[in-house]
């Protein structure tokens, strides 16, 4: 019997430092998509807090914060706890509808006060099933977040899931490590933006990136970006799902709010990998020698 996974990618806008309103939107959307039959619902990066300020080096604080110190306090206050109401409610949605959720949150450390992660959580009927903290922090994210040190792969009923966040996609080692850990589906959640008055140079940039990571590992690559304006920046949307051969299964070719639904035929993974030998033909004994020299 063929395996399938119904996924919904929620390409949404989120308000800066507004965890209550943003949380309500997450819960409403998750409930709606779960009712619609989604087995996996994917949300973008930093849904609860919006993206960090300044959005880019040299920019100001659209929220009105007077300094990095003041903004850091506001960001920490808006972040989620592992045992907080938002995670509990989203997990209850999973339990009621027998589904799973991948959501990007600014997450407080469960053990060390004052430490934050840019996290991608896999939630299921039993609560948090896996927590991935972004390992490659982009520009000003380094001012607020601690980089992660692990790359978990987790089973859900239909597939094995690995997660990454935004900038991680530019480091092929991340997706490869997840694939070698058994991942069949890798989710990449974004808060990727451009200057609002500067057109996107290549509208297919997200397709190119997803195509490459999917094809070189023979897995489904689920790319979910946010939309909306923040200060002078425009988030670029264009969420998509790439098949194991890199071809696009489904896509939103715009920067507006929307839900992208796709059915992943998971048997395509073994078919592609057997046809190409993409994992069997690796030569790790050669790569490790070069990697040692390049450290």
């Amino acid at each position: 019997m063929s395996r399938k996974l119904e996924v919904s990618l929620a390409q949404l806008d989120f308000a800066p430092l507004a965890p209550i309103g943003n949380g309500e939107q997450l819960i409403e959307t998750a409930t709606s998509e779960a009712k619609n039959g989604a087995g996996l619902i994917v949300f973008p990066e930093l849904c609860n807090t919006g993206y960090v300020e300044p959005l880019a080096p040299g920019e100001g604080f659209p929220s009105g914060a007077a300094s990095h110190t003041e903004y850091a306090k506001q960001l920490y206050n808006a972040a989620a706890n592992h045992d907080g109401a938002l995670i509990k409610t989203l997990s209850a949605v999973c339990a009621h509808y027998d589904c799973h959720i991948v959501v990007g949150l600014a997450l407080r450390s469960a053990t060390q006060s004052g430490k934050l992660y840019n996290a991608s959580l896999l939630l299921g009927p039993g609560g948090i099933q896996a927590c991935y903290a972004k390992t490659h922090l982009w520009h000003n994210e380094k001012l607020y977040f601690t980089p992660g040190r692990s790359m978990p792969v987790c089973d859900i009923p239909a597939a094995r899931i690995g997660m990454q966040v935004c900038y991680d996609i530019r480091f092929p080692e991340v997706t490869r490590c997840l694939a070698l850990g058994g991942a069949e589906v890798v989710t990449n959640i974004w808060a990727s933006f451009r200057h609002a008055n500067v057109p996107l140079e290549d509208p297919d940039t997200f397709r190119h990136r997803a195509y490459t990571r999917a094809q070189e590992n023979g897995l489904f690559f689920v790319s979910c970006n946010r939309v909306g304006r923040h200060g002078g920046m425009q988030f670029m949307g264009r969420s998509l799902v790439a098949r194991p051969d890199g071809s696009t299964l489904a896509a939103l070719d715009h920067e507006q709010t929307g839900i992208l639904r796709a059915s992943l035929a998971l048997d395509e993974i073994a078919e592609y990998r057997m046809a190409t030998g993409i994992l069997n033909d690796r030569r790790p004994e050669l790569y490790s020698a070069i990697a040692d020299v390049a450290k």
Side-chain angles (χ1 to χ4, degrees):
M1 183 177 178
S2 61
R3 292 186 299 141
K4 290 189 180 294
L5 176 63
E6 305 300 323
V7 300
S8 292
L9 285 66
Q11 182 170 288
L12 303 176
D13 186 10
F14 299 97
L17 302 174
I20 295 176
N22 291 335
E24 290 172 349
Q25 181 179 206
L26 290 172
I27 295 162
E28 179 182 354
T29 304
T31 302
S32 175
E33 290 307 299
K35 286 181 179 178
N36 195 53
L40 179 66
I41 304 157
V42 183
F43 292 100
E45 179 182 13
L46 295 175
C47 294
N48 55 338
T49 62
Y51 194 67
V52 299
E53 300 177 9
L55 277 80
E59 298 286 328
F61 292 87
S63 66
S67 65
H68 288 100
T69 301
E70 182 179 331
Y71 179 78
K73 181 178 179 181
Q74 295 172 350
L75 180 66
Y76 188 78
N77 288 338
N81 287 326
H82 285 77
D83 58 354
L86 176 59
I87 290 173
K88 286 182 178 178
T89 303
L90 289 173
S91 299
V93 172
C94 293
H96 186 77
Y97 294 100
D98 193 22
C99 65
H100 287 76
I101 293 171
V102 169
V103 60
L105 299 177
L107 185 70
R108 297 174 187 151
S109 168
T111 57
Q112 298 182 44
S113 180
K115 180 179 284 190
L116 282 183
Y117 297 103
N118 183 343
S120 179
L121 296 178
L122 176 64
L123 306 178
I128 298 174
Q129 288 197 213
C131 177
Y132 171 79
K134 189 174 184 177
T135 54
H136 302 92
L137 299 176
W138 175 257
H139 289 322
N140 287 337
E141 293 175 24
K142 299 178 182 73
L143 299 173
Y144 310 112
F145 297 118
T146 298
R149 300 177 61 86
S150 65
M151 299 176 190
V153 175
C154 191
D155 285 305
I156 66 174
R160 286 178 61 78
I161 305 293
M163 298 177 288
Q164 57 185 239
V165 181
C166 198
Y167 186 41
D168 286 328
I169 198 173
R170 300 199 189 194
F171 299 85
E173 298 90 344
V174 176
T175 313
R176 177 52 54 85
C177 285
L178 294 171
L180 295 177
E184 299 171 300
V185 178
V186 168
T187 59
N188 189 297
I189 57 175
W190 302 76
S192 185
F193 55 83
R194 58 177 173 81
H195 285 279
N197 59 352
V198 178
L200 183 59
E201 183 175 338
D202 182 359
D204 286 328
T205 184
F206 297 101
R207 287 182 186 259
H208 302 325
R209 292 170 178 176
Y211 173 98
T212 303
R213 296 292 164 260
Q215 189 189 63
E216 68 192 8
N217 292 287
L219 46 72
F220 283 95
F221 198 90
V222 176
S223 173
C224 184
N225 194 17
R226 63 160 288 188
V227 295
R229 290 283 294 270
H230 188 167
M233 302 299 181
Q234 171 70 42
F235 293 93
M236 294 185 285
R238 294 180 172 82
S239 301
L240 75 143
V241 178
R243 287 187 170 101
D245 65 1
S247 62
T248 300
L249 174 61
L252 296 177
D253 290 319
H254 56 69
E255 297 180 353
Q256 288 78 50
T257 296
I259 302 293
L260 178 65
R261 302 181 182 98
S263 180
L264 280 53
L266 295 164
D267 291 345
E268 291 182 18
I269 299 165
E271 292 169 5
Y272 175 80
R273 289 177 177 177
M274 290 298 293
T276 61
I278 194 70
L279 295 184
N280 290 339
D281 292 340
R282 294 175 59 254
R283 298 289 304 281
E285 72 278 7
L286 301 181
Y287 316 148
S288 59
I290 296 170
D292 289 340
V293 172
K295 284 182 180 176

